[in-house]
């Protein structure tokens, strides 16, 4: 298998013989806001004219047409080799660097590209490979790297969880006192050299040591109370080796991403942060140091600790989600240091209000000094779509309201130029017209919807009967066995199935032909589940492209892109809808398909819906009203759908809230308000159903233990929840005495790995659950939906899951 080390032969070795064939991302023009900018002469990566003070925290790596996704999946399937994958990767990196250089960005990041995840890259850099992957020493190769990310036939993958409050997932490092760290991946240096060979000076980006350690977890067998910060003295020597290599390669800047600083850190953690950077000070000599924070404002004590560091040249702050940091800066900012001001939103797709941002930047400059403000993005642009120029279906008005990553690069530079006195009046005028158009457009506001939302705030929308009584009524109707089995919703999406949907969308096939094709797929999925012996069935969601997009396409107030893809993890990309206006449901969305599927079986068939909080958190949400107002609008639309499903005879309805946890604010002081309205929105959707209608919800890949009481407060009849990939972390909350009276299905196997667990392994997991959960409430199910898996994997894994449930069921009867 290929090695990451293959990139180290020469910085030119992985480059194509000619310039990348990928289309370069576009830039603003005054008329279209997304026409290609003309390149200007450069010398060593900088313009001959005085470079403006502009910076990008990071950039999407997946490619404008998901080039990396397809290259990865082709490589994993054995259809292409190492050279093919590395050529695509080099093309992407080069086009990104060239786009930023040609747009006039001064501080261009490198090492923000990743084949899977930047935290996993840091694990590779530090040689912190769990022993089960069999790595001993040397440069870490693709075989070990992708085994850590995805697992393999013999060992499971490392845990994956949400990156702060985003929909991006990172691979969680597994650390302990016996980990032997070593410099095992030179990727950061290699990519710096690669850019330099193109004539572009970059700022290498590393995950900072505090963020890396505090986002890690104890390895298997290590006490849960193990202090990760005790390892800081072991990893700093590796960081120092990286600094030495970067300096030898000619680097002048280095960026440490320390988003952990926006969290509520205690005194010991802040002291460890200060000590770590003080300890690295001598090794950093000769490098300008930028510490970037993002996703929220920095608390006062963290701000004080951060800005007292002598080795740091510049400090990066998020002024989109952390505007309160302005007050701290007004109270004092270190003299002579640079302020990297994140005023361009890296997490949404709305065009920046350039005039308002310029005022903010000018006020900051008055505080910190002339030429000390660097215009930046609020965070990495990884979390937004790549390039608006690829969107041919969005109408002209809506397009004038938007900016994707490529356009945000131009916004950053335009603001930097304006701050220095070179204002593009035509660009600012076009931007102002777009802002005014959005504020006055009649497509944005619906007075009736606004009134309905105002009314829902007057009730807490709880079901009138306690969950224990509801479960009894439901059991009489459903007659399910102990440890009932089910799946989460989706089944594999084959190439033929995707082709059928594409042809229907392109109007190449008729409604009749399309419905018949989907019906055949339903029949296959239903038959398979019946043969396997699954108790509560799903229809497999063959008619759906994505669990959020499918619903958004049928709701008013939503718009959709053709290529607005955003990386979720690895090769998995999502295409978030754009919520631009008030939301209503013009007609039923799922009743036709759910009714069709229910008629194919005597077993209960779940009606499958996506919940309002997940639709909100997995969309690009309008920023002209509070998020909870938009969420309540979606909740009312889903409520109508739930009631129509019930009228159609669907007795089990699942309302997925996979993203409820990821929307939780990072600061504790803001969490209660969010959880109150998020839980309320879920309850709105099902508050009026009958006791005999069983309401399920599903959550995946987050740390739920700290919000377990809010989950209970959702008042669902059954919750299925990710558990297996996180080493049954969820079960610990029940060991601690939390009582959960509703049905619950902690996942028994990880669907994001091709590995198929045995029936005995799954049975062992079920028995662990029974140690803390009553058999009367326990369900058996996978961690998540099966959309990304192959049918061969699904059949084997589900067969083992059902066999395990039957085995444990028989043991319960005996005992």
């Amino acid at each position: 298998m290929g090695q990451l080390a293959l990139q180290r032969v020469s910085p030119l070795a992985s480059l194509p013989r000619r310039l990348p064939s990928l289309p370069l991302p576009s830039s603003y023009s005054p008329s279209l806001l997304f026409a290609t900018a003309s390149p200007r002469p450069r010398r060593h990566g900088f313009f001959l004219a005085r470079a403006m003070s502009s910076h990008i925290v990071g950039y999407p790596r997946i490619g404008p047409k998901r080039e990396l996704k397809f290259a990865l999946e082709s490589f994993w399937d054995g259809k292409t080799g190492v050279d093919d994958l590395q050529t695509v990767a080099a093309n992407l990196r080069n086009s990104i660097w060239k786009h930023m250089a040609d747009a006039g960005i001064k501080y261009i990041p490198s090492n923000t590209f990743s084949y899977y995840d930047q935290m996993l890259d840091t694990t590779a850099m530090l040689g912190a490979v769990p022993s089960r992957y069999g790595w001993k020493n040397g440069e870490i190769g693709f075989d070990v790297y992708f085994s850590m990310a995805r697992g393999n036939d013999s060992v499971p993958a490392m845990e994956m969880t949400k990156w702060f409050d985003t929909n991006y997932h990172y691979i969680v490092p597994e650390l302990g006192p016996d980990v032997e760290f070593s410099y095992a991946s030179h990727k950061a240096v290699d990519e710096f050299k690669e850019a330099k060979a193109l004539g572009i000076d970059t700022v290498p980006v590393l995950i900072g040591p505090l963020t890396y350690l505090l986002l890690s977890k104890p390895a298997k067998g290590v006490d849960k109370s193990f202090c990760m910060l005790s390892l800081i003295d072991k990893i700093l020597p590796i960081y120092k080796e990286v600094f030495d290599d970067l300096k030898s390669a000619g680097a002048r800047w280095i960026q440490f991403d320390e988003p952990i600083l926006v969290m509520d850190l205690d005194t010991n953690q802040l002291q460890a942060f200060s000590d770590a950077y003080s300890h690295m000070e001598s090794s950093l000599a000769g490098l300008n140091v930028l510490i970037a924070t993002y996703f929220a404002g920095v608390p006062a004590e963290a701000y004080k600790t951060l800005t007292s560091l002598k080795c740091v040249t510049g400090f990066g702050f998020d002024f989109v989600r952390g505007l309160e940091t302005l007050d701290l800066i007004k109270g004092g900012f270190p003299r002579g240091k640079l302020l990297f001001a994140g005023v361009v939103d890296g997490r949404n797709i709305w065009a920046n209000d350039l005039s308002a941002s310029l005022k903010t930047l000018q006020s900051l400059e008055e505080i910190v000094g002339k030429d000390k403000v660097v215009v930046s993005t609020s965070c990495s642009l990884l979390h937004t779509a790549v390039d608006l120029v690829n969107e041919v279906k969005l109408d002209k008005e809506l397009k004038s309201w938007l900016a994707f990553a490529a356009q945000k690069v131009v916004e950053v530079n335009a603001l930097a130029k304006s701050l220095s006195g070179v204002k593009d009046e035509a660009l600012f005028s076009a931007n102002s017209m777009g802002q005014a158009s959005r504020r006055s457009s009649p497509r944005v506001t619906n007075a009736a919807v606004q009134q309905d939302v105002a009314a829902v705030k007057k009730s807490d929308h709880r079901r009138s009967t306690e969950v224990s009584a509801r479960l009894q009524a439901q059991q009489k109707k459903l007659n399910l066995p102990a440890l009932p089995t089910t799946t989460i919703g989706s089944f594999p999406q084959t190439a033929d199935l995707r082709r059928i949907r594409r042809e229907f969308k392109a109007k190449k096939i008729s409604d009749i032909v399309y419905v018949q094709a989907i019906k055949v797929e339903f029949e296959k999925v239903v038959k398979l589940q019946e043969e396997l012996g699954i108790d509560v069935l799903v229809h497999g969601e063959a008619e759906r492209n994505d669990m959020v997009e499918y619903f958004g396409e049928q709701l008013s107030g939503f718009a959709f892109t053709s290529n607005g893809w955003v990386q979720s993890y690895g090769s998995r990309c999502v295409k978030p809808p754009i919520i631009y206006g008030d939301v209503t449901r013009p007609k039923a969305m799922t009743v036709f398909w759910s009714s069709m599927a229910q008629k194919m079986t005597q077993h209960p068939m779940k009606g499958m819906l996506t919940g309002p909080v997940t639709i909100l958190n997995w969309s690009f949400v309008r920023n002209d009203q509070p998020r909870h107002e938009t969420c309540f609008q979606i909740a009312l639309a889903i409520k109508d759908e739930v009631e129509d499903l019930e009228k159609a005879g669907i007795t089990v309805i699942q309302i997925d809230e996979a993203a409820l946890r990821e929307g939780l604010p990072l600061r504790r002081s803001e969490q209660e308000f969010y959880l109150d309205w998020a839980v309320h929105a879920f309850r709105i959707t099902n508050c009026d159903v009958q006791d005999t209608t069983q309401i399920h919800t599903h959550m995946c890949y987050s740390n739920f233990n700290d919000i377990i009481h809010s989950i209970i407060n959702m008042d669902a009849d059954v919750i299925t929840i990710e558990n297996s990939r996180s080493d049954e972390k969820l079960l610990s909350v029940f060991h601690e005495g939390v009582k959960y009276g509703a049905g619950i299905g902690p996942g028994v196997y990880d669907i994001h790995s091709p590995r198929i667990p045995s029936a005995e392994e799954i049975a062992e997991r079920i028995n662990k659950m029974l140690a803390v959960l009553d058999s009367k409430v326990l369900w058996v199910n996978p961690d998540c939906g099966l959309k990304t898996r192959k049918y061969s994997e699904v059949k084997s894994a589900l067969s083992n899951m059902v066999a395990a449930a039957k085995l444990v069921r028989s043991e319960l009867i005996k005992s």
Side-chain angles (χ1 to χ4, degrees):
M1 185 75 71
Q3 301 291 308
L4 290 176
L6 290 177
Q7 293 180 307
R8 301 196 61 223
V9 174
S10 161
L12 294 174
S14 60
L15 302 186
R17 294 182 178 179
R18 52 184 180 157
L19 291 180
S21 58
L22 297 176
L24 293 182
S26 64
S27 304
Y28 268 121
S29 77
S31 58
L32 296 179
L33 302 184
F34 42 83
T36 303
S38 300
R40 291 175 287 171
R42 286 180 284 115
R43 178 181 294 155
H44 303 302
F46 297 99
F47 298 113
L48 295 175
R50 183 171 69 90
M52 302 299 111
S53 292
S54 52
H55 166 255
I56 305 297
V57 176
Y59 200 84
R61 62 189 62 131
I62 207 71
K65 298 287 182 67
R66 294 182 291 165
E67 289 85 353
L68 182 60
K69 168 190 173 64
F70 298 124
L72 283 168
E73 292 175 356
S74 179
F75 175 72
W76 292 337
D77 287 342
K79 297 176 182 177
T80 53
V82 170
D83 290 345
D84 302 295
L85 177 59
Q86 291 186 336
T87 297
V88 170
N91 281 350
L92 287 169
R93 290 192 295 269
N94 300 346
S95 65
I96 290 166
W97 292 327
K98 283 175 169 291
H99 168 55
M100 285 191 259
D102 289 343
I105 300 300
K106 181 177 181 180
Y107 301 105
I108 297 172
S110 60
N111 198 41
T112 58
F113 174 87
S114 176
Y115 285 100
Y116 205 95
D117 163 54
Q118 67 268 17
M119 281 287 283
L120 182 61
D121 291 349
T122 309
T123 293
M125 181 186 82
L126 298 172
V129 180
S131 59
R132 66 181 177 274
Y133 299 107
W135 177 78
K136 300 301 180 184
N137 51 52
E139 192 83 358
I140 289 175
F142 279 158
D143 49 356
V144 173
Y145 181 85
F146 288 131
S147 290
M148 289 192 287
R150 306 176 69 238
N152 57 44
D153 291 340
S154 58
V155 292
M158 295 170 70
E159 180 184 351
M160 180 172 67
T161 196
K162 298 292 176 71
W163 177 246
F164 292 86
D165 58 348
T166 74
N167 187 33
Y168 178 80
H169 301 66
Y170 74 94
I171 302 297
V172 183
E174 301 173 12
L175 305 179
D178 298 327
V179 174
E180 296 289 338
F181 297 97
S182 64
Y183 188 9
S185 171
H186 294 68
K187 175 178 172 294
V189 180
D190 293 340
E191 290 186 14
F192 174 80
K193 290 179 179 178
E194 187 180 319
K196 193 174 180 69
L198 295 171
I200 301 174
D201 286 331
T202 60
V203 179
V205 179
L206 301 177
I207 299 291
L210 194 78
T211 295
Y212 179 78
L213 289 177
L214 292 183
L215 293 184
S216 300
K217 72 171 188 177
K220 194 167 186 178
V222 175
D223 191 277
K224 300 298 182 186
S225 63
F226 176 72
C227 178
M228 291 295 164
L229 292 179
S230 66
L231 298 174
I232 203 156
D233 290 339
K234 292 186 177 182
I235 68 171
L236 292 185
I238 314 302
Y239 275 90
K240 291 177 182 179
E241 289 187 67
V242 179
F243 306 157
D244 290 342
D245 277 0
L246 287 171
K247 286 189 283 188
S248 296
R252 292 180 287 172
W253 276 85
I254 188 168
Q255 174 180 319
F256 293 99
D257 280 7
E258 289 282 17
I260 201 72
L261 289 175
V262 306
M263 304 291 282
D264 296 304
L265 302 183
D266 61 35
T267 303
N268 291 334
Q269 291 167 331
L270 290 174
Q271 187 62 53
F273 169 76
S274 179
D275 291 345
Y277 281 88
S278 296
H279 188 72
M280 292 190 291
E281 184 172 348
S282 60
S283 300
L284 288 166
L287 289 170
N288 292 293
V289 176
L290 164 63
I291 295 183
T293 68
Y294 40 79
F295 297 150
V298 177
E301 283 303 310
Y303 177 84
K304 181 180 177 181
T305 302
L306 172 61
T307 54
S308 66
L309 294 177
K310 295 179 181 179
C311 65
V312 179
T313 312
F315 305 94
F317 299 109
D318 182 339
F319 289 113
V320 176
R321 291 182 173 236
L323 200 57
E324 64 273 17
T325 306
L326 274 171
D327 294 331
L328 297 175
I329 292 171
K330 290 175 183 177
F333 188 80
R335 185 183 299 275
K337 302 290 187 179
L338 296 178
L339 171 60
F340 286 70
V343 294
V344 173
D345 194 348
R347 290 183 59 174
N348 216 328
I349 42 67
W350 302 108
N352 188 274
D353 186 337
L354 295 179
S355 295
S357 292
L358 184 58
K359 289 179 181 178
T360 299
L361 292 165
Q362 289 168 337
S363 67
L364 287 168
E365 196 171 54
E366 290 176 4
I367 300 168
V368 306
K370 191 76 172 173
D371 298 327
K372 296 300 180 185
V373 175
V374 179
V375 183
S376 186
T377 53
S378 65
C379 62
S380 173
L381 298 175
L382 171 71
H383 309 287
T384 192
V386 179
D387 195 349
L388 191 57
V389 78
N390 295 317
E391 299 306 325
V392 294
K393 294 183 179 179
L394 295 175
D395 62 78
K396 186 176 179 181
E397 180 186 45
L398 185 56
K399 236 175 170 179
S400 73
W401 303 348
L402 306 177
F404 292 179
Q407 289 70 47
K408 290 175 186 292
V409 168
V410 181
E411 288 180 335
V412 166
N413 203 58
L415 287 167
K417 290 172 65 177
S418 299
L419 189 62
S420 69
V422 187
K423 186 177 181 181
D424 187 334
E425 295 292 351
L427 178 63
F428 270 69
S429 176
N431 176 265
S432 179
M433 289 174 62
Q435 298 291 324
S437 164
R438 186 178 168 209
R439 285 192 296 269
S440 61
S441 177
R443 67 199 289 191
V444 171
T445 305
N446 183 320
V449 174
Q450 299 278 350
Q451 291 173 1
D452 289 343
V453 167
V456 302
K457 298 175 184 176
K458 299 174 183 177
S459 167
D460 66 0
H461 296 89
R462 290 185 180 276
R463 292 171 76 177
S464 58
T465 308
E466 291 294 322
V467 66
S468 57
R470 298 198 308 262
L471 289 175
Q472 289 179 14
Q474 292 156 14
Q475 178 59 17
K476 286 181 182 178
K477 188 168 187 176
L478 298 173
N479 192 30
L480 298 173
L483 309 179
T485 54
T486 190
T487 64
I488 304 306
S490 62
F491 265 65
Q493 298 258 322
T494 63
D496 282 344
L497 183 55
R498 291 193 292 269
R499 175 185 54 79
I500 289 165
R501 285 204 306 266
R502 281 197 307 270
E503 290 177 350
F504 177 66
K505 202 166 189 177
K507 299 183 179 179
K508 293 181 179 179
I509 59 175
S510 68
D511 290 4
I512 294 173
V513 172
Y514 176 70
V515 169
Q516 181 59 32
I518 298 299
K519 183 179 179 182
V520 169
E521 189 70 20
F522 282 8
E523 289 170 341
K524 179 174 75 173
V525 170
V526 170
K527 182 181 179 183
L528 173 61
Q529 292 173 93
E530 289 182 331
E531 289 174 349
L532 291 171
I534 291 174
D535 300 303
V536 176
L537 276 52
V538 298
H539 69 284
E541 303 179 9
E543 80 284 13
R544 304 184 189 185
N545 45 10
D546 174 83
M547 64 182 290
V548 173
E549 185 174 358
Y550 176 79
F551 290 95
E553 285 176 335
Q554 301 181 78
L555 296 169
S556 65
F558 282 74
F560 295 88
T561 63
S562 301
N563 290 288
W565 297 99
V566 179
Q567 186 181 19
S568 178
Y569 61 87
S571 68
R572 169 76 168 147
C573 301
V574 294
K575 191 152 56 74
I578 298 168
I579 306 178
Y580 66 83
D582 289 336
V583 178
T584 59
R585 185 197 74 144
K587 61 181 181 180
M589 301 179 285
T590 66
V591 175
F592 172 77
W593 299 112
S594 290
S595 298
M596 176 192 290
Q598 182 62 83
K599 291 173 184 175
M600 297 175 182
T601 181
Q602 296 300 311
H603 291 272
M605 174 66 65
K606 288 186 193 177
M608 298 298 304
L609 304 175
T610 302
V613 184
T614 296
I615 291 177
L616 183 88
N617 285 337
W618 285 357
S619 298
F620 291 126
V621 183
R622 56 191 293 191
N623 58 1
D624 60 344
Q625 72 176 10
R627 288 173 68 87
H628 67 268
E629 296 282 340
T630 304
C631 194
F632 285 154
Q633 292 178 4
I634 302 169
L636 289 171
I638 299 300
K639 180 178 187 291
D640 290 343
E641 188 71 15
V642 168
E643 291 168 8
D644 281 351
L645 281 169
E646 185 181 55
K647 290 174 187 174
I650 304 300
T651 56
V652 181
I653 302 173
Q654 182 168 307
I655 309 167
D656 285 343
E657 284 296 12
L660 187 139
R661 174 62 174 78
E662 88 182 34
L664 187 71
L666 301 176
R667 304 284 289 281
R668 284 190 288 269
S669 60
E670 302 168 7
Q671 292 176 357
E672 183 178 358
F673 176 68
Y674 166 79
L675 289 170
D676 282 349
W677 65 253
V679 169
H680 187 184
F682 176 81
R683 290 203 306 260
I684 288 171
T685 65
N686 60 89
C687 61
D688 289 333
V689 300
Q690 300 174 26
D691 288 352
T692 51
T693 298
Q694 190 167 84
I695 298 297
H696 289 223
T697 191
H698 172 68
M699 296 181 179
C700 56
Y701 298 99
S702 286
N703 181 8
F704 300 106
N705 292 21
D706 55 346
I707 63 164
I708 190 65
H709 294 289
S710 293
I711 292 174
I712 294 171
N713 201 27
M714 291 170 72
D715 200 27
D717 296 312
V718 179
I719 180 170
T720 53
I721 199 162
E722 182 277 325
N723 175 67
S724 64
R725 186 157 182 166
S726 58
D727 296 328
E728 287 100 16
K729 186 192 301 180
L730 173 70
L731 299 185
S732 65
V733 75
F734 301 111
H735 282 289
E736 293 163 7
V738 171
K739 300 297 182 184
Y740 192 76
I744 183 167
V748 296
Y749 78 90
D750 175 24
I751 64 90
H752 289 297
S753 171
R755 179 176 174 272
I756 298 168
S758 66
E760 291 74 20
E761 180 182 333
I762 295 175
E764 183 181 353
R765 281 215 165 105
I766 296 171
N767 281 317
K768 285 183 180 179
M769 297 171 191
L770 288 172
V772 291
L773 294 166
D774 194 314
S775 61
K776 293 178 182 178
V777 300
L778 185 62
W779 285 63
V780 177
N781 47 263
D783 263 352
C784 204
L786 305 171
K787 178 180 180 179
T788 60
R789 300 265 54 93
K790 299 173 182 175
Y791 263 106
S792 57
E793 298 166 340
V794 166
K795 290 177 184 177
S796 297
L798 290 182
S799 176
N800 290 349
M801 184 187 82
V802 172
K806 290 180 177 178
L807 175 64
V808 178
R809 210 178 280 157
S810 66
E811 291 171 351
L812 287 173
I813 293 171
K814 291 177 184 177
S815 63

